[in-house]
Amino acid sequence: MSNRALFATKIGVIATSVGSAVGLGNIWRFPYEVGVHGGGAFLMVYIICILLIGIPAVTSELIIGKKTHKNSFGAMRELGGSSWKWVSVIGIVASLMILSFYSVVAGWTMEYLMQSVTGGLFKSSAAEYTQAFATFTTDSYRPVIMVLVFLALNHLIIMAGVEKGIEKISNILMPLLFVILLVFCVNSLFLSGASEGISFLFTPDFSQITPSVVLGAMGQAFFSLSVGLGCLLTYASYFPDDTPILRTSATIAGLDTMVAILAGLVIFPILFTFQGGDFIAGPKLVFEVLPNIFTDITGGRYLSILFFMLLFFASITSTISMSEISISFFMEEFKISRMKAAAFSTTIAVVFGTLCALSFGPLADVKFFDLTFFDFFNRVSSEIMLPIGGLLYVVFAGWFLDKKILRAQLAVKDNAVSHAIVSFVIFCIKFVTPLAISLIFLYSLGVFG
Ligand code: TRP
């Protein structure tokens, strides 16, 4: 453990973790989920999920990682012994699956960034944008090249190491990301549909809250916080010992939710102004509707460059965190160099990323359980493995981890946090969070009819 890497600065601890959490999930998936699930009602349920499920789950992972300073497998073996260590394998496998399909979308954002710069992106009608996106994504080469370029960049960062690669890039990209997002927010707030968009986002209509809204909110909360697969556990293993756990969990959750809400404040005014409040699913919104709208706005070309930069920054700080789960595992459990471990993870992502990239075109008819490669990887990892992994980590922290470790970790440098709050979080970790995840998950499997 003596020569194991640590993040060098307090800012680094926050920038890397928030960099992991803030990703495509916040910027395109969150506004979409809000849109289809009734606006403010979804936001309210989402915030409750973040508080009662998200923060306790993040806290559990941070405790396990920071206490052991080990990769997720080594950490669970040290604290839980030979059976609990297998929980981490769910996360190691799922993180490589997520890395594969997520990089495909990140590759698309790079293609659109390049096309915004060259000007080749701009067309004259909505139909042409739809056509261009379809032509691009179904192509046999272009999306594959872009996923490979993206994974190569991702590889360069992770190869550079925890402090010189991950921490450094997060320290640079995260502030930039916030600035770009604020520029867009200000822009959106001057649009004619701004007040309609904002009231849609913030006015809850309680009649809209159904079990599927709750399910959507929990899934979104897990994905958005990067929790459930040992990702934050892995980053926490690089936290200096005096990092306050609860305050860090709250900061990650707070900033992640803030970015999601800011993204909503950008997207909804645009949709109400230009689309009459018609909600459009993720890829179509980002790659067809928004570019078309940018064409009509003065300075739209620059907005378009900035927008795809934003998505690219958000993506790469998330994919390096997904990669680190398996890299730290390969490095420490097989005692190989960072270079070899990174090569191993990247190779897996290259193979599956290519299959996912081709699943919109040449491999569109190759199906597992009626799903293409891309959809299969996405659904199995985020709808099944993520909640199961999250549940097991929380149950472990609440019921199997030595109470003294739990309390001691929660007490580190958190004098400002009262005993009542610590006890409440422990109560959630033991009872509320596992129960909530189990109920919502069983409902999603159709157990309640
Ligand atoms: N949270 C990221 C997003 O919102 C995605 C992500 C990064 C993630 N690391 C993860 C999701 C680990 C699950 C597990 O886009």
Side-chain angles (χ1 to χ4, degrees):
M1 200 196 99
S2 53
N3 53 7
R4 201 173 180 277
L6 284 181
F7 293 133
T9 60
K10 289 201 176 68
I11 290 290
V13 165
I14 300 298
T16 50
S17 314
V18 175
S20 167
V22 169
L24 296 172
N26 303 58
I27 298 170
W28 84 0
R29 194 169 143 186
F30 177 80
Y32 169 66
E33 294 272 328
V34 173
V36 296
H37 291 308
F42 180 87
L43 178 61
M44 212 188 62
V45 177
Y46 180 75
I47 290 177
I48 295 174
C49 284
I50 290 282
L51 292 173
L52 296 184
I53 302 177
I55 291 186
V58 171
T59 303
S60 306
E61 280 200 27
L62 295 189
I63 289 174
I64 298 168
K66 198 191 74 148
K67 168 71 192 160
T68 55
H69 293 296
K70 289 207 166 83
N71 72 87
S72 56
F73 189 85
M76 290 304 278
R77 184 185 46 217
E78 177 177 320
L79 295 176
S82 54
S83 17
W84 279 103
K85 72 183 181 206
W86 297 107
V87 168
S88 66
V89 174
I90 301 174
I92 293 164
V93 173
S95 65
L96 286 165
M97 293 171 74
I98 296 182
L99 178 63
S100 304
F101 75 81
Y102 200 95
S103 299
V104 172
V105 183
W108 296 349
T109 72
M110 276 179 28
E111 168 81 19
Y112 272 60
L113 173 57
M114 279 168 24
Q115 288 196 19
S116 311
V117 173
T118 60
L121 178 65
F122 303 101
K123 315 268 182 301
S124 53
S125 70
E128 284 181 43
Y129 282 99
T130 305
Q131 181 58 43
F133 184 59
T135 308
F136 165 62
T137 47
T138 55
D139 192 74
S140 308
Y141 301 103
R142 198 76 201 158
V144 176
I145 295 172
M146 293 322 286
V147 77
L148 296 182
V149 173
F150 181 81
L151 285 168
L153 291 174
N154 185 67
H155 189 76
L156 286 179
I157 301 171
I158 48 184
M159 280 270 293
V162 170
E163 197 192 319
K164 294 210 171 65
I166 298 175
E167 181 172 358
K168 205 161 164 195
I169 204 81
S170 306
N171 281 348
I172 300 170
L173 295 187
M174 292 318 286
L176 280 176
L177 185 145
F178 269 89
V179 172
I180 299 179
L181 202 53
L182 287 177
V183 170
F184 273 97
C185 250
V186 172
N187 235 303
S188 269
L189 297 182
F190 284 108
L191 294 173
S192 59
S195 60
E196 245 182 311
I198 294 169
S199 77
F200 177 77
L201 179 58
F202 290 116
T203 319
D205 168 2
F206 294 101
S207 68
Q208 296 262 10
I209 299 178
T210 60
S212 86
V213 172
V214 180
L215 187 65
M218 182 184 81
Q220 174 64 17
F222 265 106
F223 192 85
S224 189
L225 289 173
S226 305
V227 80
L229 304 181
C231 185
L232 292 173
L233 186 165
T234 305
Y235 270 10
S237 74
Y238 306 128
F239 287 3
D241 278 325
D242 62 354
T243 308
I245 296 278
L246 270 181
R247 225 181 311 158
T248 306
S249 306
T251 310
I252 297 170
L255 289 175
D256 185 65
T257 307
M258 195 172 104
V259 170
I261 292 176
L262 286 177
L265 286 177
V266 172
I267 301 289
F268 291 118
I270 294 182
L271 290 184
F272 276 95
T273 308
F274 297 95
Q275 299 283 132
D278 189 9
F279 298 110
I280 302 125
K284 193 171 167 55
L285 171 68
V286 170
F287 297 103
E288 298 173 23
V289 175
L290 287 182
N292 186 25
I293 291 170
F294 289 142
T295 318
D296 296 337
I297 308 181
T298 26
R301 176 148 170 203
Y302 300 101
L303 284 180
S304 167
I305 295 174
L306 273 184
F307 183 74
F308 288 109
M309 248 161 110
L310 173 78
L311 288 178
F312 171 66
F313 292 171
S315 310
I316 201 146
T317 49
S318 295
T319 52
I320 51 180
S321 75
M322 294 167 201
S323 311
E324 191 61 22
I325 306 176
S326 53
I327 291 177
S328 58
F329 166 69
F330 293 139
M331 262 173 88
E332 289 164 17
E333 299 305 318
F334 299 100
K335 310 233 175 337
I336 56 175
S337 67
R338 188 167 186 86
M339 217 174 73
K340 284 199 188 121
F344 211 48
S345 294
T346 300
T347 305
I348 296 172
V350 161
V351 172
F352 291 110
T354 303
L355 293 175
C356 289
L358 291 174
S359 73
F360 294 88
L363 300 183
D365 294 327
V366 182
K367 304 259 170 96
F368 299 90
F369 303 98
D370 223 18
L371 298 167
T372 61
F373 273 111
F374 185 99
D375 291 336
F376 180 79
F377 274 51
N378 181 4
R379 300 276 296 273
V380 172
S381 59
S382 33
E383 288 173 20
I384 299 172
M385 298 170 89
L386 204 66
I388 292 180
L391 175 65
L392 291 173
Y393 276 123
V394 173
V395 167
F396 175 74
W399 295 93
F400 295 89
L401 185 64
D402 187 342
K403 295 289 149 307
K404 284 200 247 30
I405 295 180
L406 190 64
R407 285 223 166 243
Q409 286 292 325
L410 287 175
V412 174
K413 267 204 144 179
D414 256 342
N415 309 334
V417 178
S418 69
H419 276 304
I421 293 182
V422 171
S423 301
F424 178 69
V425 174
I426 293 180
F427 178 74
C428 284
I429 290 177
K430 279 179 99 89
F431 301 100
V432 181
T433 311
L435 201 69
I437 303 176
S438 309
L439 284 179
I440 299 172
F441 186 62
L442 290 177
Y443 174 83
S444 77
L445 294 181
V447 173
F448 302 124

